[in-house]
Amino acid sequence: MAEIIIAGAGHGGLTAAYNFARNGYSVTVYEKKQRSELGYGWKDSMSPSAFNFCGMPMPEKKVFTPGVPNCYYSPSAEIKLLPPDPVNYSKYIDRKDLYDILIENCESVGVKFNYGANIRSATVSGDRVTGFMTEKDGALSEVKGDLIIDAAGVDSPVRTSLPASVGIQNILADNEVFYVYRAIFDRKTDESLDPPYGVFFYRQDRPGIDWIVCEENSIDILVGKFGKMTMDEVDASIADFRERYGFIGDNMISGGGGIYRIPVRKTLPLIVANGYALVGDSAAMAEPLSGSGITMSMKAGKMLADAFIVDYSEDFSAARLWRYQYRYFNEIGNGYLSQDIYRSALVQMTSDDIEYLLREKIITIKEIEGAGSYVFNDIADKVRGIGGRRSLIPIFVRAGAALAAAGRTAKAMPSTYDKDAVTEWAALYGK
Ligand SMILES: Cc1cc2nc3c(=O)[nH]c(=O)nc-3n(C[C@H](O)[C@H](O)[C@H](O)COP(=O)(O)OP(=O)(O)OC[C@H]3O[C@@H](n4cnc5c(N)ncnc54)[C@H](O)[C@@H]3O)c2cc1C
């Protein structure tokens, strides 16, 4: 029987594990943390329909908290933008509850777990990934599999150690990563933001996004930046929030575990190779601007399994795995190309630029809630509108051209695997 090994108990890996195992494959997950350490001390947005999509039983309603409308603030906080009603908000779920659900599902179909296994690097033979090296209790050993699923997150030790012969992009540029800190504090007073969920752009001249969520008994603060962020920047942001908003308490209730990294770029050009497939953050599938990393990872895990379980195949060649990549890009990945162009344009802008674009209504709530999908529509109108700030014109023109090219690239993706054609397409997409 084919042996599938999964690097990291990411959401995408667990979803793939569940679907492969219930269709007769032998699956083992290797995770560096202990079972009790998985998850964070907060709730995150996800789409409950992901469970249906992934062939999993719908969890009880009580694990989901209803979403709330976001209010967006300009860098000076003088401009406030509210979404029009009605909006279909995502739901929130505690990450520990989510892990419990995913792992219980996996265990119910015989997936094996190996916790405390710190993966060090990939093992490769020619252009085929054959396994990985893990360190457990001080001993290093090699684990081999017929298919290696990489669900070990943005800094996956498997992906980052692959040699060029495998053909996978293993390094992300610094501004393709969103650095983020999150902590939950107690409340000093009963006051709140109105509405209670505020998203703040480019505060303190930092190219990033912060938020404050006023809960009944606590205040949830996130500080984020496109590119490397230091704890000094985090502390300065929280101190400034405290000065402006007297309701933020001094005592941290949960979170605060340091600065995390989330990929913020289009999906990697190639997410499959011989014996190897990437899912989730390790493939840069997350889209932090729209809070979709969990849902995308899970859907990718299901699509990966679907490519094999339709006719029980043990052929894990790149050619067979291409079915997964082709479907993922057509159903999800290509739809995020415009957000990547939005992000590339944003990181070239200053706080003053953002203040100007919001004040002049060149970027409106429609563009923000669409997480960039519409920003460069009607590009000619937008360029005319930014006449008062000429330095923005080339950024918008380049973005418009990139958007047109992205549409052509998406259409040019080969539907069946031919190594030369796929390599050529990946180079085009990578640009
Ligand atoms: C502060 C914050 C807020 C977020 N908010 C949201 C949100 O609201 N909605 C949303 O959808 N997404 C959100 N995300 C993003 C989301 O966490 C990710 O997109 C999602 O978790 C990706 O899942 P994944 O399957 O790629 O695996 P990951 O969650 O990245 O998990 C990777 C796993 O691999 C393990 N691993 C790593 N290295 C090794 C190793 N060497 N050996 C063995 N195991 C290893 C890790 O311990 C981890 O368990 C947020 C992220 C952060 C940090």
Side-chain angles (χ1 to χ4, degrees), residues 6-14 30-33 38-40 42-47 91-92 95 98-99 114 116-121 133-134 150-158 178 180-183 197 211 222-223 258-263 279-283 285-288 290-298:
I6 303 192
H11 309 71
L14 294 176
Y30 292 82
E31 165 59 46
K32 74 174 170 191
K33 293 183 183 163
L38 288 169
Y40 304 99
W42 56 65
K43 292 182 176 176
D44 283 313
S45 65
M46 78 166 290
S47 170
K91 300 273 192 292
Y92 288 84
R95 278 295 178 105
L98 179 57
Y99 266 109
N114 198 329
N118 191 356
I119 299 165
R120 292 300 192 182
S121 60
M133 300 300 298
T134 65
D150 190 342
V154 60
D155 295 310
S156 163
V158 182
F178 192 64
V180 61
Y181 173 92
R182 190 167 172 190
Y197 187 174
W211 81 42
L222 176 141
V223 181
I259 295 173
Y260 297 90
R261 286 160 49 90
I262 315 175
V279 287
D281 283 10
S282 60
M285 288 172 177
E287 181 32 79
S290 55
S292 60
I294 297 170
T295 304
M296 296 307 122
S297 305
M298 288 177 62

Side-chain angles (χ1 to χ4, degrees), residues 222-273:
L222 176 141
V223 181
K225 182 177 174 187
F226 299 104
K228 202 167 177 48
M229 180 170 72
T230 63
M231 272 315 287
D232 283 349
E233 288 173 288
V234 172
D235 292 341
S237 173
I238 294 177
D240 181 66
F241 270 148
R242 279 215 172 85
E243 223 165 86
R244 285 168 189 254
Y245 305 111
F247 49 75
I248 305 171
D250 298 322
N251 302 311
M252 193 187 294
I253 300 173
S254 61
I259 295 173
Y260 297 90
R261 286 160 49 90
I262 315 175
V264 57
R265 51 154 287 150
K266 60 190 170 189
T267 306
L268 296 183
L270 289 177
I271 59 171
V272 300

Side-chain angles (χ1 to χ4, degrees), residues 333-368:
N334 286 334
Y336 281 88
L337 287 172
S338 59
Q339 293 198 21
D340 187 51
I341 293 165
Y342 181 36
R343 189 260 325 159
S344 306
L346 270 185
V347 296
Q348 297 173 56
M349 295 181 196
T350 63
S351 305
D352 287 348
D353 291 335
I354 305 289
E355 190 79 29
Y356 172 85
L357 292 169
L358 295 174
R359 193 175 57 239
E360 299 300 319
K361 300 190 173 48
I362 293 161
I363 292 184
T364 67
I365 193 70
K366 182 177 159 201
E367 278 93 9
I368 294 170

Side-chain angles (χ1 to χ4, degrees), residues 117 152 179 191 217 221 223 244 314 341 428:
Y179 285 71
E191 285 164 287
N217 298 313
I221 295 185
V223 181
R244 285 168 189 254
E314 297 195 356
I341 293 165
L428 186 69

